């Protein structure tokens, strides 16, 4: 609501909103003063220039302090005329304010208003159900404001329960639509298109408007990620079927590169191995330190009796525990025993 009111006040200041109420009250003032001079005796100070404007103001506003008042029947009739004129002016004013508020809310709900956000996240593209889940995750983990850009076929804001969510609709490949969403002031942009061809077109448009934003693109076919590097080397592509990875990359830039390296052939991969039976009782810290020092590996988690745990540094590991680690190659039980013996 504060956003709507601030936009409303600025819009009213630039429009002809005040013309009709001003014309009505001015006409009543200019016609009532001569009538009051004609109706009242010359001794009544109400007709003087320095008194009449004050009496007119409090009477038209129906306050009526009583410091000045007409003494004749004709003067009182003029007072009734001023009161009616003031009521008509206020009614016209409040009616126009109500209409302006409804129009501003309607334009915002329909995605027709310009968003005045900065350092925010812009989501370009809308998929029913999926986008709602993405936004819920983002808002739960991030305090920054979010703007949603959808195509023409999304007629109204699909998430009205989030008043702070900005909404824009139109041709998402058009510069004007992206500018209305504040993409040029955005810190991060998530392009979640309907297909990979559309994603490439939207990436070109977004990087043109804001080449400095951290841009993340979801793809069905990750083999096409190379095409996006031609647009901008800093564009990050993630798998469309892993929306959580997209939100993690938005919040922690670069994490998609780490995941890609872990899952690609020739990079540092993830492995698992059961603790060797010949190994004496050890704690998690000893295993982590020995494997890291000897083989540049990182133990991610330990599984025991079907449960995956992230143990503390001094936690004793049971004999049947399975280690999950990141490294350049798979380690043999003998290598692990040798590393812990050093």
């Amino acid at each position: 609501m504060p956003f709507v009111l601030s936009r409303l006040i600025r819009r009213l200041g630039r429009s002809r909103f005040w013309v009709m109420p001003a014309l009505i009250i001015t006409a009543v003032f200019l016609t009532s003063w001569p009538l009051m001079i004609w109706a009242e005796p010359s001794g009544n100070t109400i007709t003087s220039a320095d008194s009449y404007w004050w009496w007119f103001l409090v009477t038209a506003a129906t306050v009526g302090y009583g410091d000045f008042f007409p003494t004749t029947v004709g003067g009182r009739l003029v007072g009734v005329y001023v009161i009616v004129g003031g009521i008509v002016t206020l009614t016209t004013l409040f009616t126009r304010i109500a209409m302006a508020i409804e129009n501003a809310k309607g334009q915002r709900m329909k995605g027709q208003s310009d968003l005045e956000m900065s350092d925010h996240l812009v989501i370009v593209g809308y998929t029913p159900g999926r986008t709602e889940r993405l936004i819920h995750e983002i808002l739960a983990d991030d305090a920054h404001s979010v703007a949603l850009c959808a195509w023409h076929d999304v007629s109204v804001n699909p998430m009205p329960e989030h008043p702070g969510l900005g909404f824009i609709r139109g041709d998402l490949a058009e510069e004007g639509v992206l500018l209305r969403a504040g993409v040029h002031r955005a810190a991060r942009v998530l392009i979640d298109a309907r297909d990979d061809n559309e994603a490439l077109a939207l990436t070109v448009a977004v990087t043109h408007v804001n080449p400095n934003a951290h841009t993340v693109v979801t793809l069905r076919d990750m083999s096409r990620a190379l095409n996006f590097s031609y647009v901008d080397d800093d564009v990050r592509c993630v798998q469309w079927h892993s929306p959580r990875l997209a939100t993690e990359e938005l919040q922690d830039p670069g994490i998609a590169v780490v995941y890609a390296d872990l899952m690609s052939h020739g990079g540092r991969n993830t492995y698992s191995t059961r603790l060797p039976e010949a190994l004496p009782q050890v704690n998690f810290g000893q295993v982590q330190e020995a494997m890291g020092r000897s083989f540049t590996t990182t133990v991610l988690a330990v599984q025991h009796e079907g449960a995956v745990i992230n143990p503390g540094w001094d936690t004793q590991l049971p004999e049947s525990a399975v280690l999950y680690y990141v490294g350049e190659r798979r380690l043999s039980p003998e290598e692990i025993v040798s590393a812990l013996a050093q």
Side-chain angles (χ1 to χ4, degrees):
M1 183 58 73
F3 173 81
V4 174
L5 290 178
S6 64
R7 287 190 57 82
L8 175 63
I9 293 172
R10 285 192 294 271
R11 182 175 300 175
L12 296 181
R14 297 192 300 264
S15 67
R16 296 184 177 182
F17 171 84
W18 308 99
V19 173
M20 183 58 69
L23 287 176
I24 294 174
I25 200 66
T26 301
V28 173
F29 179 84
L30 294 177
T31 55
S32 64
W33 192 7
L35 290 174
M36 185 65 75
I37 294 174
W38 173 78
E40 287 297 306
S42 58
N44 192 344
T45 57
I46 193 175
T47 59
S48 62
D50 57 347
S51 300
Y52 185 77
W53 71 269
W54 173 250
W55 175 84
F56 179 86
L57 178 64
V58 297
T59 303
T62 68
V63 176
Y65 289 126
D67 46 356
F68 300 102
F69 54 89
T71 58
T72 65
V73 174
R76 295 188 179 99
L77 291 176
V78 174
V80 172
Y81 168 60
V82 171
I83 291 172
V84 172
I87 293 173
V88 171
T89 301
L90 292 175
T91 301
T92 303
L93 181 65
F94 293 147
T95 300
R96 289 187 166 228
I97 290 176
M99 291 176 60
I101 291 175
E102 286 301 316
N103 289 336
K105 290 175 62 179
Q107 288 184 349
R108 184 165 176 259
M109 284 296 296
K110 294 178 181 178
Q112 298 173 346
S113 299
D114 294 349
L115 302 182
E116 297 186 4
M117 296 178 173
S118 59
D119 295 326
H120 58 300
L121 164 65
V122 180
I123 300 178
V124 182
Y126 173 74
T127 302
R130 170 186 170 86
T131 304
E132 284 85 352
R133 290 193 298 271
L134 278 171
I135 291 177
H136 282 304
E137 287 187 11
I138 292 168
L139 293 179
D141 298 337
D142 198 331
H144 288 83
S145 52
V146 179
L148 171 61
C149 298
W151 292 93
H152 289 291
D153 55 351
V154 183
S155 57
V156 295
N157 187 346
M159 301 182 68
E161 69 275 13
H162 293 284
L165 175 69
F167 176 64
I168 293 293
R169 58 188 289 263
D171 186 344
L172 302 185
E174 286 189 1
E175 180 180 1
V177 175
L178 298 176
L179 290 175
R180 287 201 292 119
V183 170
H184 55 300
R185 298 187 300 269
R188 298 166 297 168
V189 179
L190 172 60
I191 299 175
D192 196 45
R194 295 171 292 193
D195 57 63
D196 291 352
N197 291 328
E198 180 180 282
L200 183 57
L202 296 181
T203 302
V204 171
V206 166
T207 53
H208 169 71
V209 173
N210 187 349
N212 298 318
H214 177 55
T215 303
V216 180
V217 185
T218 59
L219 296 178
R220 274 75 168 177
D221 183 3
M222 287 297 294
S223 66
R224 303 191 62 183
L226 181 61
N227 296 334
F228 290 79
S229 67
Y230 299 151
V231 179
D232 193 323
D233 289 336
D234 294 328
V235 171
R236 295 287 178 258
C237 297
V238 299
Q239 177 60 247
W240 188 89
H241 300 290
S242 302
R244 181 59 188 172
L245 179 56
T247 60
E248 289 179 355
E249 174 61 30
L250 287 169
Q251 294 161 355
D252 300 293
I255 199 168
V257 177
V258 175
Y259 283 147
D261 181 69
L262 292 177
M263 293 184 290
S264 62
H265 180 71
R268 294 176 61 83
N269 297 321
T270 53
Y271 303 96
S272 68
T273 185
R274 189 175 299 276
L275 282 178
E277 295 181 1
L279 195 66
Q281 188 73 39
V282 294
N283 59 42
F284 179 73
Q286 289 175 300
V287 174
Q288 183 75 274
E289 182 179 0
M291 293 178 63
R293 182 182 62 248
S294 301
F295 306 105
T296 320
T297 63
T298 301
V299 181
L300 300 176
V302 177
Q303 185 186 65
H304 177 58
E305 297 181 351
V308 177
I309 59 175
N310 184 17
W313 193 259
D314 296 324
T315 302
Q316 295 291 321
L317 299 182
E319 295 180 358
S320 58
V322 177
L323 304 178
Y324 293 88
Y325 58 94
V326 178
E328 297 178 351
R329 61 182 179 85
R330 187 182 302 277
L331 302 178
S332 67
E334 291 76 15
E335 288 177 316
I336 297 177
V337 172
S338 175
L340 285 165
Q342 295 180 7

